[in-house]
PDB file of all heavy atoms in Angstrom:
ATOM      1  N   TYR C 255     125.913 101.837 109.499  1.00 97.00           N
ATOM      2  CA  TYR C 255     127.220 101.753 108.828  1.00 97.00           C
ATOM      3  C   TYR C 255     126.890 102.188 107.405  1.00 97.00           C
ATOM      4  O   TYR C 255     126.516 101.383 106.563  1.00 97.00           O
ATOM      5  CB  TYR C 255     127.679 100.302 108.919  1.00 97.00           C
ATOM      6  CG  TYR C 255     128.971  99.913 108.255  1.00 97.00           C
ATOM      7  CD1 TYR C 255     129.865 100.836 107.694  1.00 97.00           C
ATOM      8  CD2 TYR C 255     129.322  98.561 108.206  1.00 97.00           C
ATOM      9  CE1 TYR C 255     131.049 100.420 107.111  1.00 97.00           C
ATOM     10  CE2 TYR C 255     130.500  98.142 107.623  1.00 97.00           C
ATOM     11  CZ  TYR C 255     131.357  99.073 107.070  1.00 97.00           C
ATOM     12  OH  TYR C 255     132.523  98.653 106.491  1.00 97.00           O
ATOM     13  N   HIS C 283     115.876 104.140 103.733  1.00 97.00           N
ATOM     14  CA  HIS C 283     116.027 103.990 105.177  1.00 97.00           C
ATOM     15  C   HIS C 283     116.413 105.341 105.748  1.00 97.00           C
ATOM     16  O   HIS C 283     117.259 106.035 105.202  1.00 97.00           O
ATOM     17  CB  HIS C 283     117.105 102.956 105.511  1.00 97.00           C
ATOM     18  CG  HIS C 283     116.959 102.356 106.879  1.00 97.00           C
ATOM     19  ND1 HIS C 283     116.937 103.120 108.032  1.00 97.00           N
ATOM     20  CD2 HIS C 283     116.794 101.083 107.288  1.00 97.00           C
ATOM     21  CE1 HIS C 283     116.783 102.329 109.086  1.00 97.00           C
ATOM     22  NE2 HIS C 283     116.689 101.080 108.664  1.00 97.00           N
ATOM     23  N   ARG C 321     119.604  91.996 106.888  1.00 97.00           N
ATOM     24  CA  ARG C 321     120.933  92.326 106.369  1.00 97.00           C
ATOM     25  C   ARG C 321     121.397  93.764 106.558  1.00 97.00           C
ATOM     26  O   ARG C 321     122.595  94.036 106.457  1.00 97.00           O
ATOM     27  CB  ARG C 321     120.958  91.990 104.866  1.00 97.00           C
ATOM     28  CG  ARG C 321     120.907  90.492 104.624  1.00 97.00           C
ATOM     29  CD  ARG C 321     120.474  90.112 103.211  1.00 97.00           C
ATOM     30  NE  ARG C 321     121.199  90.792 102.156  1.00 97.00           N
ATOM     31  CZ  ARG C 321     120.969  90.602 100.848  1.00 97.00           C
ATOM     32  NH1 ARG C 321     120.044  89.724 100.449  1.00 97.00           N
ATOM     33  NH2 ARG C 321     121.663  91.266  99.947  1.00 97.00           N
ATOM     34  N   VAL C 324     122.083  98.492 110.702  1.00 97.00           N
ATOM     35  CA  VAL C 324     121.441  99.634 111.362  1.00 97.00           C
ATOM     36  C   VAL C 324     121.153  99.236 112.803  1.00 97.00           C
ATOM     37  O   VAL C 324     120.819  98.088 113.080  1.00 97.00           O
ATOM     38  CB  VAL C 324     120.122 100.016 110.648  1.00 97.00           C
ATOM     39  CG1 VAL C 324     119.384 101.114 111.414  1.00 97.00           C
ATOM     40  CG2 VAL C 324     120.402 100.467 109.214  1.00 97.00           C
ATOM     41  N   TRP C 325     121.287 100.219 113.709  1.00 96.00           N
ATOM     42  CA  TRP C 325     121.036  99.974 115.130  1.00 96.00           C
ATOM     43  C   TRP C 325     120.237 101.123 115.706  1.00 96.00           C
ATOM     44  O   TRP C 325     120.309 102.247 115.218  1.00 96.00           O
ATOM     45  CB  TRP C 325     122.378  99.824 115.872  1.00 96.00           C
ATOM     46  CG  TRP C 325     123.183  98.717 115.278  1.00 96.00           C
ATOM     47  CD1 TRP C 325     123.073  97.387 115.563  1.00 96.00           C
ATOM     48  CD2 TRP C 325     124.172  98.826 114.242  1.00 96.00           C
ATOM     49  NE1 TRP C 325     123.934  96.657 114.769  1.00 96.00           N
ATOM     50  CE2 TRP C 325     124.620  97.520 113.949  1.00 96.00           C
ATOM     51  CE3 TRP C 325     124.723  99.887 113.516  1.00 96.00           C
ATOM     52  CZ2 TRP C 325     125.579  97.237 112.976  1.00 96.00           C
ATOM     53  CZ3 TRP C 325     125.685  99.622 112.552  1.00 96.00           C
ATOM     54  CH2 TRP C 325     126.103  98.319 112.285  1.00 96.00           C
ATOM     55  N   ALA C 340     118.106  93.922 118.696  1.00 60.00           N
ATOM     56  CA  ALA C 340     116.909  93.642 117.893  1.00 60.00           C
ATOM     57  C   ALA C 340     115.841  92.840 118.615  1.00 60.00           C
ATOM     58  O   ALA C 340     116.038  91.769 119.064  1.00 60.00           O
ATOM     59  CB  ALA C 340     117.297  92.936 116.615  1.00 60.00           C
TER      60      ALA C 340
ATOM     61  N   HIS D 209     128.584  91.265 104.099  1.00 98.00           N
ATOM     62  CA  HIS D 209     128.537  90.260 105.149  1.00 98.00           C
ATOM     63  C   HIS D 209     129.455  89.091 104.787  1.00 98.00           C
ATOM     64  O   HIS D 209     129.484  88.668 103.633  1.00 98.00           O
ATOM     65  CB  HIS D 209     127.105  89.725 105.296  1.00 98.00           C
ATOM     66  CG  HIS D 209     126.150  90.724 105.891  1.00 98.00           C
ATOM     67  ND1 HIS D 209     126.197  91.116 107.207  1.00 98.00           N
ATOM     68  CD2 HIS D 209     125.128  91.424 105.339  1.00 98.00           C
ATOM     69  CE1 HIS D 209     125.241  92.004 107.443  1.00 98.00           C
ATOM     70  NE2 HIS D 209     124.577  92.215 106.320  1.00 98.00           N
ATOM     71  N   GLU D 221     138.740  96.317 104.981  1.00 98.00           N
ATOM     72  CA  GLU D 221     137.986  96.976 106.047  1.00 98.00           C
ATOM     73  C   GLU D 221     137.121  95.906 106.716  1.00 98.00           C
ATOM     74  O   GLU D 221     136.235  95.338 106.079  1.00 98.00           O
ATOM     75  CB  GLU D 221     137.096  98.086 105.458  1.00 98.00           C
ATOM     76  CG  GLU D 221     136.225  98.764 106.508  1.00 98.00           C
ATOM     77  CD  GLU D 221     135.507 100.002 105.958  1.00 98.00           C
ATOM     78  OE1 GLU D 221     136.202 100.962 105.590  1.00 98.00           O
ATOM     79  OE2 GLU D 221     134.266  99.988 105.883  1.00 98.00           O
ATOM     80  N   PRO D 226     127.030  94.642 115.776  1.00 97.00           N
ATOM     81  CA  PRO D 226     126.084  94.140 116.778  1.00 97.00           C
ATOM     82  C   PRO D 226     124.829  93.578 116.073  1.00 97.00           C
ATOM     83  O   PRO D 226     124.621  93.844 114.897  1.00 97.00           O
ATOM     84  CB  PRO D 226     125.741  95.376 117.604  1.00 97.00           C
ATOM     85  CG  PRO D 226     126.875  96.320 117.383  1.00 97.00           C
ATOM     86  CD  PRO D 226     127.333  96.058 115.974  1.00 97.00           C
ATOM     87  N   LEU D 228     121.630  93.123 114.247  1.00 94.00           N
ATOM     88  CA  LEU D 228     121.034  94.165 113.403  1.00 94.00           C
ATOM     89  C   LEU D 228     119.630  94.529 113.895  1.00 94.00           C
ATOM     90  O   LEU D 228     118.882  93.661 114.353  1.00 94.00           O
ATOM     91  CB  LEU D 228     120.986  93.697 111.954  1.00 94.00           C
ATOM     92  CG  LEU D 228     122.336  93.219 111.385  1.00 94.00           C
ATOM     93  CD1 LEU D 228     122.185  92.861 109.904  1.00 94.00           C
ATOM     94  CD2 LEU D 228     123.414  94.271 111.575  1.00 94.00           C
ATOM     95  N   ALA D 229     119.300  95.801 113.799  1.00 85.00           N
ATOM     96  CA  ALA D 229     117.987  96.257 114.270  1.00 85.00           C
ATOM     97  C   ALA D 229     117.393  97.271 113.309  1.00 85.00           C
ATOM     98  O   ALA D 229     116.700  98.201 113.706  1.00 85.00           O
ATOM     99  CB  ALA D 229     118.130  96.856 115.670  1.00 85.00           C
ATOM    100  N   GLY D 231     115.406  98.727 109.740  1.00 79.00           N
ATOM    101  CA  GLY D 231     114.044  98.606 109.198  1.00 79.00           C
ATOM    102  C   GLY D 231     113.052  99.309 110.081  1.00 79.00           C
ATOM    103  O   GLY D 231     113.385  99.920 111.063  1.00 79.00           O
TER     104      GLY D 231
END
Side-chain angles (χ1 to χ4, degrees):
Chain C
Y255 177 8
H283 203 303
R321 291 161 50 180
V324 174
W325 302 276
Chain D
H209 290 290
E221 177 171 296
L228 306 184

